[in-house]
Structures are given as C-alpha cells and as structure tokens.
Amino acid sequence: MTDIPTDATETTSLRNKMIDQLRDEGWITSPEVEAVMRKVPRERFTPPGTALADVYNPWDAVVTQTNEHGVHTSSVSAPQVQAFMLEQAQVRPGMKVLEIGSGGMNAAYLSELVGPTGTVVTVDISSEITETAARLLAENGYENVRVVTADAAEPIPGVGVADVILVTVGAWDIPPAWTYQLHPQGRLVVPLRARGLTRSISFVMQGDHLESTSAKQCGFVAMQGSTEHHEQLLLVAGTEEIALRFDDGLPIEPSQLDNAVKTERIEQWSGVTLGRREPFGSLQLHLAITVPGFCTMTVDQDLDSGIVVPNRHGFSLAAVDGDSFAYLVFRPAGDDDVEYGVHALGNHAQQLADTLIATLHDWDAHHRGDSTPIFRVYAAGTPDDQVVGDRVVDKVHSRISLSWPAA
Ligand SMILES: C[S@@+](CC[C@H](N)C(=O)[O-])C[C@H]1O[C@@H](n2cnc3c(N)ncnc32)[C@H](O)[C@@H]1O
C-alpha cells in the first residue's frame, strides 16, 4: 500500500490507535509498556515497503525471513505478543536483559524500559538478522544494545547473569544456558512447546526448578540450531491422509493402529458447549495433562477420503490409546455456541471416546475459562519423586511438568 511513511502525524495516530486497542483489551496492563510502545516508531523497524496497515496490525507478525522450504524463520513479532511478553517480563530501569531472537523492534522497547543505567543484549543465530537489527538500532539511537550472532541455546560470552531473559523464538526445550545465565531472582519468559502446544510462559526460580507465574497462548517461528526439534508424524495405516503428530515422542507401537480404520467411526456428543469467542486454550491444556496418548491430527485435504471428518483439516486435538485413535469435533449449538464431541476409530474406540467425553466434562466443571496450569522445569535426570506435577514431559535438557493449581 505505502512505502516508508513520511507523515509522522499519520503513523503516530495509527500507533496510538493500536496501543489504545491493546490496552483496552488487556494485552497492555502497565503504564511502562504502554509508554514505550507509544514512543518507538514501529515503521522504522519493519522492512521498507511494508504497508502501514500491516505495520500497525496488532495481531499479526511481519515476516522478515523465509527459508528455502518456504518456512518463516524470522519476523517482527505481532504487537499483541510483544505487549504481553513485555508485561510478563516485568523489565525495570537499570536491569540487564538478554533477548533471544533479534530484529531490533523489541530490543528498542527493552532499551527504553531499562533506561540509561540498564543494558540489553540481543542474540540471533542469523547474521542477516543481526546485521539488520544492529543497523536499525544504531540508526534510531539505541546505541546501548549489544547485538550478538550466536546459537543462544549456548551461553553467550560476556553476558554473565541477566535479570530477565526474554526468548522471542519458539523453544521446545530449556537448555541449561538459560537457567545458568538467569539471576536467582530473575525472570525467564519463553514461548515453550510441550505436547505440541505453545504458551509464552513467565518463569521464576523456585529452589531447584523454574516455576511459571503466567502462561499465554501464542505462536512463534521455531528455534534453530542445537535445540531445534521437529514433531514426529504417524501416518495412520490404510490411509494416505491422516497424520497423528507427536511432539514429545511416539507413545505407542505404531503397528498397533494398523487396523484402526477398518472399524466403524463412533461419533459421540458431550453436551459441553463453548461460546464462539470463549477461550479454549485451557481445554487444549487439560487434554494434554490428562490424556496419556494426547496428540494432534492433520488431514491432507487433497487426499481426503472421508475416513475422518475433522472441523479443520490443519489441526484437531486427538489421542491414541493402543489400537484406537480419536479426535475432537464441534458443531453449532444455538446462535453463538458450539458443542464438543468425539469421533473415534479402532477396536477400543468406545472406551477412548468415553474417556475423552469424561475429560470434556471434567474440563467444563473445573477448568474452563482463562485458568492456566502451572508449568515447572527441572533439569534432565531429576528423579521422578522430585518432580511435582500431573504430566511430565521429557525433553533433552529438561523435564517439564504440567499441573492444575490445587482448587
Ligand atoms: C520472531 S523472531 C524475533 C523477533 C524479534 N525479537 C522482534 O523484535 O520482534 C525469532 C528469531 O529467532 C532467531 N533464532 C532461531 N533460533 C535461534 C537460536 N538458536 N539462537 C538465537 N536466535 C535464534 C531467528 O533467526 C529469528 O530471527
């Protein structure tokens, strides 16, 4: 639409409108974050030629790098996400902040928040990104930000211990470098993936482990380098289109599912309804905590033979139990609600459907709304009896537990 804007009045007014919206909807909650987001001109940190409507779209990132497979590898994060992560990070004047994943925009906000007595180090694995970030920061007067090119899963030389580590890239694991570089009273904010679900989590140290103080739903480009991790896909035998996706290891002998699609599909409705605008992140997490074989399902639309009928081909909550698998569905219920149900296939489909329906009722009774589980991060190798939590997910460097707070 437009090139780099020259009309300061127009950009200021777009920025203020966006910040008003983020504040009114509760994504910005402090005067400090509000002030820096009003102050820093966002259009100076997005690529030349980016339409102003995109620069000041509160909900969408501006992609800045894409790899040879068409996968986005870098972006200027969405203002909404930057806002709530800055709130989670609780950055104060004089602090030392380590930002993992650069771009310049967020480092400029951090620089404003720490002020002249604080320091910001921003690290990115891509020299293309750090070169741009360093240039943009210098051009806009943020000389106190140190820009480093490195795999930030490893300790960064010369950083020492930070008051805040703000990770702005999707992590699957918590490498030891992050706890090692974190002040004992410090805060680690990280978009962390467990069981295929990503939450931006604010962690503080609690004795031998990290414990969450807040968690918010988000999506991020994935970590590259030594902690890069990919989901494992299980293509359901007898189909070409159904892939069950496991983010933390296949829980089963894949051959057990070989005959699942030879049985009739069971369809069962729960009576549990949800407003179309009501948050359902807690439902995802409740299934991830409660159901041992929790996974997600994608269906290739081009090869769809009708064996399964998901609401969305790209993403369904699903589960496997031995020789059976199931996925969640929803249907309209009244003008504004949907009702959740389960489709299940396999010799024990009824059993699995009953389990999932019971899980839906349990969520409805105890966890619906904005409730958030507690995430705890222990070092890999911590014995089971020292790990608190209902569902433990083993990574390479860490053991992550999830549990609902006591009622
Ligand atoms: C969403 S972007 C960062 C956004 C940025 N902080 C901003 O101002 O909006 C994520 C970045 O993380 C970087 N990244 C991926 N893996 C990394 C790693 N192991 N160490 C450091 N940076 C990494 C990518 O190159 C990418 O530039």
Side-chain angles (χ1 to χ4, degrees):
M1 192 173 81
T2 60
D3 280 344
I4 287 283
T6 49
D7 183 346
T9 321
E10 187 191 0
T11 57
T12 306
S13 122
L14 281 171
R15 188 157 60 250
N16 283 332
K17 190 169 157 232
M18 180 184 84
I19 303 301
D20 289 349
Q21 190 176 359
L22 291 173
R23 185 199 53 202
D24 294 349
E25 293 192 18
W27 302 107
I28 294 176
T29 53
S30 72
E32 292 84 0
V33 171
E34 181 177 341
V36 301
M37 290 190 77
R38 279 195 200 281
K39 180 174 175 187
V40 184
R42 195 172 174 79
E43 66 279 6
R44 295 198 196 157
F45 290 90
T46 45
T50 309
L52 272 183
D54 296 334
V55 174
Y56 286 105
N57 177 337
W59 318 116
D60 284 345
V62 174
V63 174
T64 51
Q65 194 185 57
T66 303
N67 72 13
E68 66 276 20
H69 307 295
V71 175
H72 299 327
T73 50
S74 192
S75 62
V76 178
S77 300
Q80 174 223 13
V81 174
Q82 288 177 324
F84 72 64
M85 291 185 81
L86 290 172
E87 296 291 4
Q88 286 183 301
Q90 298 183 19
V91 178
R92 301 288 175 257
M95 280 186 168
K96 186 199 281 188
V97 179
L98 171 61
E99 183 194 41
I100 293 176
S102 309
M105 177 77 269
N106 201 53
Y109 292 147
L110 290 169
S111 172
E112 293 282 351
L113 286 167
V114 300
T117 56
T119 50
V120 176
V121 179
T122 183
V123 186
D124 203 286
I125 201 164
S126 159
S127 57
E128 181 188 317
I129 298 298
T130 49
E131 276 161 26
T132 305
R135 179 176 53 75
L136 293 175
L137 287 161
E139 280 172 10
N140 288 286
Y142 295 102
E143 308 282 353
N144 66 338
V145 180
R146 189 179 144 215
V147 183
V148 178
T149 308
D151 181 347
E154 309 300 327
I156 307 302
V159 167
V161 168
D163 300 296
V164 169
I165 300 180
L166 177 54
V167 183
T168 63
V169 50
W172 177 80
D173 201 355
I174 303 289
W178 295 354
T179 38
Y180 167 75
Q181 292 173 116
L182 186 66
H183 188 281
Q185 270 81 52
R187 201 169 276 274
L188 167 67
V189 177
V190 52
L192 181 63
R193 212 167 82 227
R195 309 209 93 198
L197 305 174
T198 302
R199 297 293 183 269
S200 170
I201 307 177
S202 175
F203 285 110
V204 293
M205 287 301 298
Q206 289 285 352
D208 65 343
H209 67 275
L210 291 164
E211 199 160 306
S212 65
T213 58
S214 70
K216 297 199 180 282
Q217 204 163 339
C218 62
F220 260 93
V221 301
M223 278 288 274
Q224 304 163 47
S226 61
T227 55
E228 182 171 329
H229 179 84
H230 297 279
E231 287 178 318
Q232 285 172 281
L233 259 59
L234 172 57
L235 191 64
V236 175
T239 81
E240 291 183 356
E241 76 266 34
I242 308 171
L244 299 173
R245 309 171 80 99
F246 297 89
D247 200 26
D248 297 291
L250 296 170
I252 48 152
E253 275 294 319
S255 60
Q256 281 191 277
L257 276 180
D258 277 358
N259 296 314
V261 296
K262 294 184 182 153
T263 68
E264 206 170 314
R265 187 176 67 233
I266 287 176
E267 302 188 358
Q268 207 159 316
W269 293 97
S270 67
V272 174
T273 59
L274 187 78
R276 286 182 193 272
R277 288 165 160 264
E278 230 180 301
F280 58 91
S282 60
L283 172 60
Q284 299 177 334
L285 288 165
H286 189 52
L287 289 159
I289 292 172
T290 318
V291 179
F294 173 79
C295 58
T296 60
M297 180 181 82
T298 51
V299 178
D300 187 328
Q301 202 152 8
D302 296 334
L303 302 172
D304 193 347
S305 63
I307 295 173
V308 290
V309 279
N311 294 93
R312 295 192 193 101
H313 284 80
F315 181 87
S316 298
L317 299 167
V320 169
D321 188 7
D323 58 13
S324 305
F325 74 98
Y327 56 96
L328 256 59
V329 286
F330 55 86
R331 64 182 177 186
D335 286 347
D336 291 323
D337 288 359
V338 292
E339 179 190 7
Y340 275 97
V342 175
H343 289 181
L345 293 102
N347 284 334
H348 294 88
Q350 187 61 56
Q351 209 173 304
L352 182 55
D354 289 346
T355 303
L356 292 178
I357 294 286
T359 308
L360 281 166
H361 286 146
D362 188 38
W363 169 76
D364 185 37
H366 303 293
H367 304 296
R368 66 181 301 151
D370 269 335
S371 52
T372 310
I374 298 172
F375 294 77
R376 295 179 176 87
V377 180
Y378 298 83
T382 303
D384 284 348
D385 61 1
Q386 289 170 33
V387 175
V388 176
D390 298 328
R391 170 73 48 199
V392 179
V393 183
D394 283 309
K395 310 280 183 172
V396 174
H397 298 293
S398 63
R399 306 194 75 192
I400 294 171
S401 77
L402 292 79
S403 47
W404 290 109

